């Protein structure tokens, strides 16, 4: 995965696509342009933080309708709407759906660039959170069932002796499993373990 941002532009107006290509290239932002949502879906997403600049009114599927479908399509890109025919209710609807900006043409170039950088930053943060969550789940999955039992009770604040009584094992066994938990979860202190387990799904700790 590369960390460089990429901007996807979907607009049926060729001149708008060309102008946005020039604008984004002038500030060193990589851009890919498409004349329709169909073209965009056929291309797919690159493995890099990104942002989608989406025209509202296009032949066939509108930008608003496509944005509404994005979650179902597994597309989590932040969206900046651009339109020459927008109104306040349309903008409110777009923002309610999760768009980060709704700009009417002609818009200020810097306003668009700021929105795009904001979108790329949000997507970068989202990707980092997903990667961290996947790593944490992998660490938890590496624990044996007995180690997970000990971990659940440790983070609830039980002492080794109490854990041994609850699990009907020796205190030595608890100490060994507890050490394995700390090693496999890659933490050194109990607060660190608590902090990590708080990020696991509640089902993991029940």
């Amino acid at each position: 995965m590369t960390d460089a941002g990429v901007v996807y532009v979907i607009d049926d107006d060729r001149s708008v696509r060309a102008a946005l290509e020039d604008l984004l290239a002038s500030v060193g932002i990589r851009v890919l342009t498409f004349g329709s949502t169909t073209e965009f879906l056929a291309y797919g997403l690159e493995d890099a933080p990104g942002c989608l600049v989406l025209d509202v009114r296009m032949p066939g599927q509108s930008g608003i309708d496509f944005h509404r479908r994005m979650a179902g399509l597994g597309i989590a890109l932040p969206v900046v709407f651009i339109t020459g025919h927008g109104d306040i209710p349309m903008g409110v609807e777009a923002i309610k759906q999760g768009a980060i900006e709704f700009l009417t043409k002609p818009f200020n170039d810097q306003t668009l660039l700021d929105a795009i950088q904001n979108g790329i930053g949000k997507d970068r943060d989202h990707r980092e959170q997903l990667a961290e969550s996947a790593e944490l789940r992998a660490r938890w999955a590496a624990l044996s069932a007995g180690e997970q039992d000990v971990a659940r009770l440790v983070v609830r604040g039980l002492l080794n002796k109490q854990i041994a009584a609850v699990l009907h094992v020796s205190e030595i066994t608890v100490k060994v499993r507890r050490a394995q938990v700390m090693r496999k979860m890659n933490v050194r202190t109990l607060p660190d373990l608590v902090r990590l387990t708080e990020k696991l799904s509640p089902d993991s700790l029940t």
Side-chain angles (χ1 to χ4, degrees), residues 2-19:
T2 64
D3 197 48
V6 56
V7 175
Y8 307 88
V9 174
I10 307 177
D11 195 310
D12 62 311
D13 189 326
R14 186 187 300 273
S15 64
V16 171
R17 298 199 303 271

Side-chain angles (χ1 to χ4, degrees), residues 81-155:
F81 275 111
I82 56 175
T83 180
H85 308 280
D87 53 29
I88 291 177
M90 188 184 294
V92 170
E93 180 183 356
I95 297 299
K96 282 184 175 179
Q97 286 182 196
I100 60 175
E101 190 60 90
F102 188 92
L103 302 175
T104 56
K105 303 173 184 174
F107 41 76
N108 178 276
D109 288 350
Q110 190 58 52
T111 301
L112 176 63
L113 292 173
D114 290 345
I116 286 172
Q117 292 291 8
N118 180 31
I120 291 174
K122 286 180 179 293
D123 193 41
R124 181 178 290 110
D125 291 344
H126 178 65
R127 285 166 165 268
E128 289 175 353
Q129 290 169 2
L130 290 178
E132 181 184 10
S133 179
E135 168 64 22
L136 182 56
R137 289 197 301 273
R139 291 185 205 173
W140 181 261
L143 300 179
S144 69
E147 290 163 354
Q148 290 182 356
D149 289 340
V150 168
R152 293 186 183 96
L153 297 174
V154 166
V155 298

